[in-house]
Each structure stands twice: as structure tokens, then as C-alpha cells.
């Protein structure tokens, strides 16, 4: 059943390595600073109940579909589209996913840079010096473009270095200890936080359900956004990592269930880590990035053994963001290596170089970073997800994909309930999300520019790939892929 | 804002722990043990079947109902591979019994 792709392909050495890589790629800063306060602001337990339903109903099946696509085609995102639709315009759809990833990484790398800086100062004990002012410290750091750009460059070097070694010798070797270490470090801080006086108030904020939120559309939207995008659905990461699976590997458990629930489990751990401490010290829990880089920094010195807890927290935070950086970048690296004559080393340099360059404005200005996040988060990701899920749901056909491939070598049987979720529910949800954010931000220039950017990106990518492939003989459409 | 966890709050918190942490650990343990089982079987007998009884039955049904599908050939190939493997190996990975295996025919 093997198709000769003409490429010697790396493979995960172990299923544990694959699972850790995928979980690591989707666990990021959003789990640590966003999940806790979004839950707290949207009815606590009511939000979490909705979130759980959406997680199992949409995110888990969606991730299975994406991983399946990678394992089946044994290709990156452009190759996956080409495999089913032939060369030419359709490859532009894959190119959109790659560009969205490069766009995402361009403003995510500065966040990793912030984490490195804070970890370094946690090691140096800066936060514990007399007269230390976390707000002024944050303002001085974020207002120092040269410093942030320098650290952004360091992130590029660190991410590129690991990716040079490939899948099993690079990513897998790093994440299989980094993700367990992330869980251990967050658990240690959570246990400490739960022993603080006032911790219960934090848990009450996060878990006490305010049922009126169950009927609030905004709560459902917030839960939907968190369930879909914090699990990395549609980013192309599951597709790319899935393409390095062996033919006997399982998709539904490793590629879908563990990724989604593992990622959210770390979000839950973050709730136990952040909220007890925030409430114990009477801080505002809804400040996003400032919660981590200002509020939490201000409380570590007041805690017994604060040096250790601060160090562990920022170490865990760095593991979370760095492993995501590896996953997001690998989407582009795999694709560039497959679709061009570049070697892996050259592909790594090209992709890392692209997001490094594109990321300089985000590193320079947090306002620009906010723009990028708004445009790519609200429009880019739903667009990429829509393309991947339409490929599985409509081009391959979800029923055919499930019967032929999803249940092939699967450790658990996936029934027919999966088919309509992939074919109808997720694409509808993606269109709804883009429409919702556009409609509710119609007076915000970011909404117009974000939507225009994505439409332009799609049309431009399709035209570009059509132009590049012009004159070449198309491969037959609907050619079955790898295994 | 309540300062303590209500009864519902406890229920939500414990439900989250069970449906996330426990589900993660159980799924991780299962997938790793299945990987070991597959590796051990492949080492011992050279091959394992690729579909469970339910999945293979569904595959056959789909092949029969879609004679002109462009993927029929690969579906038949996978079906036959699975049947052949089941017939030539002593131990199956999924819960196949002897009568199920003896009733299988290549397409």
C-alpha cells in the first residue's frame, strides 16, 4: 500500500514521542494566561461545561480528520491538497495554511522571547530584589525594541537549531522530556498555590457555574474559540506531524483524543496554578499577558520559597511556548522541503528566516502584535481550518475517509457520528466564526483589513501556484496517497 | 462573587478532572500499550491485521455499495491484505474469533 513519494521520510521513533510533540505543539501561552481568565469571565463552571461539550463534539473529531490527512498522504499541507486535487490552483489552498502558520509564528516568537527574558530574570532573582516594580519592569522591557528584537532573534536560532535535526532526532528528542517537565512544573506551582490562604476564592471564580451564561451566545462563542483554537485544530500541525506516522500507528487516540484532552488538561492545570495565587493576593484575574508578566511576578516574592515557584512557573511557560514554536514552524519546513529542491537545512533557514523577518514589527511594537493576533486569530485560523476540513469532509468525503483510513490500524473504532461533524458541523462553525467576528467588529479597521488580507491571501496563493505549475503535466486527480 | 466553591462548583471541578485528566491518562496508557502489543505481535509473527471486525465489515459493505468509486481499488487492496494477514497469522491484534476469520473471503 506504500506509495513511492520519491522522498525518504523521517518517522516518529515512538508513539509517546508523537503524542508529546502534538500536545506540546498545541499547548501554548493561551493555555496558561487565556484559559483561566476566559473561564472566569464567562460564567466559570457554565463556560467549562459548554467548553467540554464542544471539545469532545468538535475539536476531537476535527483533530482526527487533520491527522488522518497527514498519515494518509504522507505529505505536508501543500502535498496533501495536491494529492487529492492535482497540481495547480489547489496547491494554493495548502500555501494559505503555510502562510497563516508563518504569520502566526511571526507574532508568537516575541511571546516566546518575553518568556525567555522573564525566565532569565527568575534565575537571576531580579523579582526578589527590594523595590522591584513589576509594572515598571514590564514597561521597560516591552518598551525596549532592541532587546525584544534581539530575543526574537534568539528564539529563531533556538527553534531553527532543533528543527535542523529533523523529526525523531530533533523535535521528538526535545519534547518527550519537555512536556512531562511542563506538567511537573505546573503541578508543583499549582500545589503550592492551593495551599495559599484565599485559594478557594480563585477556584470559586473558575468553577462555580453561573447558569445564566449557558444561554448567552457570547459564552458559546468564547468556548468555541477556546475549544477550537487552543487545540490547534486546522493549523496544519496535526496534518504535518501525522504525516510522519508509521503505517501501523493509530490516529483517533494519538492524533485526536489525547491531543485535545491533553492540551485542555494543561489548561485546567493552569487554572489551578494561576487562580488560587491571583485571588490569594487580591489581583485582577482578567488582564491577559499582564497577568503573567506583571501580576504573577508581583506575588512570587511574597510566597514562601517564591524564588523556586517563580522559576518553575516560567520554566514551564517557556516549555509550553517553545514546543508550540517548533510545531508551528515545522508545518512550513516540511512543506518547503517537499515542494522545492531545498534541503531540510535550507528549508529551516528559509521558514525561520521568513517568520523572523515578518516578526520584527511585532517584536518592535506590541500594538502591531495585537493587530496580527486579531487578523490571524479571528480570520486566518478559521480559514485554514475550513480548507483542511473541506478537503477531508467534501473532497475525500468524511464517510469514505473514516471507513477507509480513520479506522485503519485504529486502537478504537470510530462510528458514523464522525461523518456529519467533519462534513457539516465544523465548516459551518468556521464560517460562522469569521462572520461573527467580522459583524461584531465591523467598525474596527482590523476586521476589514483582516478579512481583506485573508481573501487576498487565498486568491494570491491560488494564482501563484497556478502560475508556477502552468505548463507542467498534472498528476492524475484523486490519486490515493501513502498508506 | 462567591468566596467558596458551591456544590455545583465541586461537581464541575471534579467532572473536569475526570473528563480531562483521567481521560488523558487512560487514552495515553491505552495507546502506548496498544503500540507495544502491535510491536510485539509484528516481531513475533511478521504482520498484524489492520482492521477490527466491525471496521472490516463496514469496509466490505462500503466496497459493495460503491462499485464505481475512485477509491474502490485501494479499499479492496486494504480489505484483502487484512483478510490474508488474518488467515496467515496465529494471533490477531483485534478481537477476531476463529469462526469470523474462517468466514472471511478475499474480494
Amino acid at each position: 500500500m506504500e506509495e513511492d513519494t520519491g522522498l525518504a521520510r523521517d518517522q516518529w521513533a515512538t508513539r509517546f514521542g508523537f503524542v508529546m510533540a502534538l500536545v506540546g505543539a498545541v499547548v501554548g501561552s493561551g493555555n496558561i494566561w487565556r484559559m483561566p481568565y476566559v473561564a472566569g469571565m464567562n460564567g466559570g463552571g457554565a463556560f467549562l461545561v459548554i467548553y467540554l461539550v464542544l471539545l469532545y463534539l468538535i475539536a476531537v473529531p476535527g483533530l482526527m480528520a487533520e491527522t488522518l490527512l497527514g498519515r494518509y498522504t504522507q505529505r505536508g499541507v501543500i502535498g496533501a491538497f495536491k494529492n487529492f486535487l492535482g497540481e495547480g490552483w489547489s496547491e494554493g489552498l495548502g500555501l494559505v495554511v503555510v502562510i497563516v502558520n508563518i504569520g502566526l509564528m511571526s507574532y508568537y516568537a516575541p511571546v516566546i522571547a518575553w518568556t525567555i527574558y522573564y525566565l532569565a530574570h527568575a534565575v537571576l532573582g531580579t523579582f526578589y530584589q527590594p523595590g522591584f516594580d513589576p509594572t515598571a519592569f514590564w514597561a521597560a522591557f516591552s518598551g525596549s525594541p532592541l532587546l525584544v528584537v534581539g530575543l526574537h532573534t534568539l528564539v529563531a536560532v533556538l527553534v531553527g537549531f532543533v528543527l535542523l535535526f529533523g523529526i525523531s532526532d530533533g523535535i521528538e528528542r526535545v519534547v518527550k522530556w519537555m512536556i512531562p517537565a511542563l506538567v511537573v512544573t505546573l503541578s508543583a506551582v499549582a500545589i503550592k498555590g492551593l495551599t495559599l490562604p484565599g485559594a478557594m476564592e480563585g477556584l470559586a471564580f473558575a468553577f462555580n457555574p453561573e447558569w445564566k451564561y449557558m444561554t448567552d451566545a457570547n459564552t458559546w462563542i468564547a468556548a468555541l474559540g477556546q475549544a477550537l483554537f487552543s487545540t490547534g485544530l486546522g493549523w496544519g500541525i496535526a496534518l504535518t506531524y501525522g504525516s510522519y506516522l508509521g503505517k501501523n500507528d493509530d490516529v483517533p487516540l494519538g492524533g485526536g483524543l489525547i491531543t485535545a484532552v491533553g492540551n485542555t488538561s494543561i489548561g485546567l492545570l493552569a487554572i489551578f496554578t494561576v487562580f488560587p495565587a491571583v485571588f490569594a493576593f487580591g489581583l485582577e484575574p482578567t488582564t491577559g499577558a499582564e497577568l503573567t508578566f506583571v501580576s504573577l511576578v508581583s506575588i512570587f516574592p511574597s510566597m514562601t520559597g517564591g524564588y523556586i515557584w517563580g522559576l518553575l512557573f516560567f520554566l514551564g511557560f517557556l516549555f509550553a511556548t517553545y514546543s508550540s514554536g517548533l510545531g508551528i514552524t515545522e508545518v512550513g519546513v516540511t512543506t518547503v522541503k517537499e515542494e522545492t529542491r531545498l534541503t531540510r537545512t535550507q528549508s529551516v533557514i528559509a521558514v525561520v528566516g521568513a517568520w523572523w523577518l515578518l516578526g520584527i514589527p511585532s517584536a518592535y511594537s506590541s500594538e502591531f502584535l495585537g493587530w496580527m493576533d486579531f487578523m490571524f486569530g479571528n480570520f486566518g485560523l478559521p480559514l485554514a481550518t475550513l480548507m483542511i476540513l473541506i478537503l477531508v469532509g467534501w473532497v475525500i468525503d468524511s464517510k469514505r475517509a473514516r471507513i477507509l483510513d480513520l479506522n485503519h490500524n485504529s486502537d478504537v473504532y470510530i462510528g458514523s457520528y464522525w461523518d456529519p461533524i467533519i462534513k457539516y458541523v465544523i465548516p459551518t462553525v468556521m464560517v460562522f466564526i469569521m462572520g461573527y467576528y467580522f459583524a461584531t467588529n465591523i467598525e474596527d479597521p482590523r476586521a476589514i483589513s483582516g478579512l481583506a488580507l485573508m481573501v487576498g491571501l487565498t486568491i494570491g496563493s491560488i494564482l501563484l501556484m497556478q502560475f508556477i505549475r502552468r505548463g507542467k503535466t498534472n498528476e492524475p486527480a484523486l490519486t490515493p496517497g501513502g498508506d | 462573587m462567591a468566596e467558596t466553591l458551591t456544590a455545583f462548583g465541586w461537581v464541575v471541578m471534579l467532572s473536569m478532572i475526570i473528563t480531562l485528566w483521567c481521560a488523558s491518562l487512560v487514552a495515553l496508557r491505552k495507546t502506548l500499550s496498544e503500540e507495544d502489543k502491535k510491536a510485539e505481535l509484528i516481531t513475533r509473527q511478521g504482520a498484524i491485521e489492520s482492521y477490527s471486525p466491525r471496521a472490516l465489515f463496514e469496509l466490505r459493505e462500503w466496497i459493495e455499495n460503491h462499485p464505481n468509486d475512485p477509491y474502490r481499488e485501494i479499499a479492496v487492496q486494504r480489505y484483502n491484505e487484512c483478510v490474508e494477514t488474518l488467515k496467515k497469522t496465529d494471533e490477531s491484534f483485534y478481537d477476531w474469533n476463529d469462526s469470523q476469520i474462517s468466514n472471511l473471503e478475499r474480494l
Side-chain angles (χ1 to χ4, degrees):
Chain A
M1 195 70 55
E2 296 289 345
E3 185 190 44
D4 181 18
T5 61
L7 297 163
R9 250 187 116 69
D10 201 351
Q11 215 170 73
W12 301 105
T14 61
R15 198 178 294 181
F16 181 73
F18 164 68
V19 169
M20 289 302 107
L22 204 41
V23 171
V26 299
V27 169
S29 60
N31 293 71
I32 294 172
W33 79 49
R34 191 169 184 274
M35 171 98 179
Y37 86 79
V38 172
M41 288 301 292
N42 287 280
F47 170 89
L48 293 173
V49 169
I50 296 169
Y51 174 83
L52 266 189
V53 171
L54 296 173
L55 182 78
Y56 280 97
L57 187 71
I58 296 179
V60 172
L63 281 164
M64 287 179 192
E66 199 181 323
T67 313
L68 167 157
L69 193 57
R71 186 186 64 169
Y72 185 82
T73 60
Q74 300 278 293
R75 308 273 178 92
V77 281
I78 290 182
F81 280 90
K82 183 163 58 178
N83 198 92
F84 294 102
L85 294 166
E87 287 187 345
W89 68 270
S90 67
E91 294 171 277
L93 304 179
L95 184 61
V96 173
V97 179
V98 174
I99 294 172
V100 166
N101 270 273
I102 289 174
L104 278 170
M105 192 57 198
S106 76
Y107 67 86
Y108 195 67
V111 178
I112 305 175
W114 301 347
T115 313
I116 290 174
Y117 186 73
Y118 271 70
L119 176 62
H121 281 277
V123 173
L124 293 170
T126 309
F127 310 141
Y128 314 97
Q129 288 169 357
F132 174 75
D133 179 352
T135 308
F137 185 78
W138 170 247
F141 170 57
S142 56
S144 171
L146 275 181
L147 183 55
V148 185
V149 171
L151 287 167
H152 171 68
T153 308
L154 176 64
V155 172
V157 172
L158 292 175
V159 169
F161 178 74
V162 169
L163 294 184
L164 287 178
F165 290 92
I167 295 297
S168 55
D169 289 338
I171 299 173
E172 183 170 356
R173 194 179 280 182
V174 170
V175 295
K176 72 183 181 187
W177 65 265
M178 193 178 267
I179 300 309
L182 163 68
V183 173
V184 170
T185 52
L186 284 184
S187 300
V189 184
I191 291 167
K192 172 64 184 174
L194 289 168
T195 62
L196 295 170
M200 196 55 78
E201 198 182 339
L203 296 183
F205 179 74
F207 293 107
N208 279 350
E210 292 184 55
W211 298 118
K212 65 180 183 184
Y213 282 90
M214 292 287 276
T215 53
D216 185 340
N218 290 322
T219 305
W220 283 83
I221 295 288
L224 196 57
Q226 189 69 22
L228 293 179
F229 302 121
S230 80
T231 52
L233 174 61
W235 297 27
I237 297 172
L239 189 162
T240 304
Y241 278 8
S243 74
Y244 294 103
L245 282 171
K247 70 169 191 173
N248 290 314
D249 277 318
D250 166 72
V251 165
L253 276 184
L257 187 67
I258 296 177
T259 310
V261 297
N263 164 73
T264 310
S265 295
I266 293 175
L268 181 62
L269 193 53
I271 290 178
F272 287 114
T273 304
V274 173
F275 273 112
V278 164
F279 276 80
F281 288 89
L283 301 172
E284 172 58 49
T286 58
T287 50
E290 274 191 35
L291 177 69
T292 304
F293 295 107
V294 177
S295 305
L296 285 175
V297 169
S298 73
I299 62 177
F300 288 127
S302 312
M303 293 165 70
T304 311
Y307 178 87
I308 295 294
W309 306 120
L311 189 63
L312 288 176
F313 178 79
F314 282 108
L315 194 61
F317 199 2
L318 178 62
F319 289 162
T321 54
Y322 180 64
S323 56
S324 294
L326 295 177
I328 297 168
T329 309
E330 182 58 38
V331 173
V333 171
T334 292
T335 305
V336 168
K337 180 176 176 291
E338 283 176 359
E339 303 301 325
T340 67
R341 292 178 183 171
L342 298 180
T343 63
R344 182 170 180 92
T345 302
Q346 291 166 333
S347 303
V348 169
I349 292 168
V351 174
V352 172
W355 65 244
W356 174 80
L357 199 62
L358 190 64
I360 289 175
S362 293
Y364 197 81
S365 154
S366 52
E367 193 183 345
F368 187 85
L369 190 151
W371 268 75
M372 292 289 282
D373 186 31
F374 185 91
M375 292 194 295
F376 282 90
N378 295 336
F379 300 108
L381 284 179
L383 182 68
T385 309
L386 189 64
M387 287 172 180
I388 289 174
L389 270 293
I390 283 180
L391 183 60
V392 179
W394 291 86
V395 177
I396 306 174
D397 184 79
S398 51
K399 183 179 179 184
R400 181 163 57 187
R402 178 178 62 82
I403 290 172
L404 189 60
D405 203 67
L406 187 62
N407 284 324
H408 188 229
N409 292 305
S410 171
D411 296 344
V412 291
Y413 172 80
I414 302 298
S416 57
Y417 65 89
W418 188 82
D419 308 343
I421 292 174
I422 302 303
K423 193 164 192 168
Y424 302 108
V425 177
I426 301 179
T428 306
V429 165
M430 291 304 141
V431 172
F432 172 77
I433 285 177
M434 285 190 280
Y436 175 84
Y437 280 114
F438 182 73
T440 53
N441 295 281
I442 197 147
E443 290 175 2
D444 187 335
R446 294 180 304 176
I448 305 281
S449 53
L451 200 60
L453 178 69
M454 294 310 146
V455 170
L457 197 63
T458 307
I459 295 170
S461 298
I462 288 171
L463 291 176
L464 177 68
M465 293 313 292
Q466 179 71 17
F467 177 76
I468 289 172
R469 301 298 189 195
R470 192 174 58 180
K472 289 188 68 178
T473 307
N474 277 4
E475 285 181 352
L478 298 173
T479 304
D483 184 62
Chain B
M1 176 59 61
E3 289 188 359
T4 57
L5 268 175
T6 62
F8 274 129
W10 276 104
V11 169
V12 171
M13 188 172 81
L14 294 175
S15 302
M16 290 290 288
I17 288 171
I18 291 165
T19 52
L20 292 173
W21 291 355
C22 295
S24 298
L25 290 174
V26 168
L28 184 62
R29 190 173 180 279
K30 181 172 172 60
T31 196
L32 295 181
S33 68
E34 299 286 85
E35 183 195 29
D36 288 343
K37 191 177 162 190
K38 278 181 185 174
E40 195 263 331
L41 271 175
I42 292 169
T43 306
R44 185 145 43 91
Q45 57 187 22
I48 54 168
E49 78 280 13
S50 48
Y51 289 96
S52 67
R54 198 173 170 187
L56 193 70
F57 173 78
E58 201 174 19
L59 181 63
R60 181 178 186 122
E61 196 176 54
W62 182 85
I63 291 168
E64 288 169 351
N65 292 334
H66 297 81
N68 300 317
D69 193 280
Y71 286 81
R72 188 177 188 279
E73 192 183 333
I74 191 171
V76 169
Q77 199 181 344
R78 285 187 172 190
Y79 181 89
N80 287 339
E81 272 183 2
C82 187
V83 171
E84 282 166 12
T85 306
L86 280 165
K87 294 214 179 261
K88 79 177 180 191
T89 52
D90 296 328
E91 199 179 333
S92 59
F93 174 71
Y94 297 104
D95 295 327
W96 288 90
N97 59 45
D98 290 343
S99 67
Q100 282 175 317
I101 295 171
S102 61
N103 288 336
L104 287 172
E105 295 290 338
R106 278 175 57 93
L107 287 171

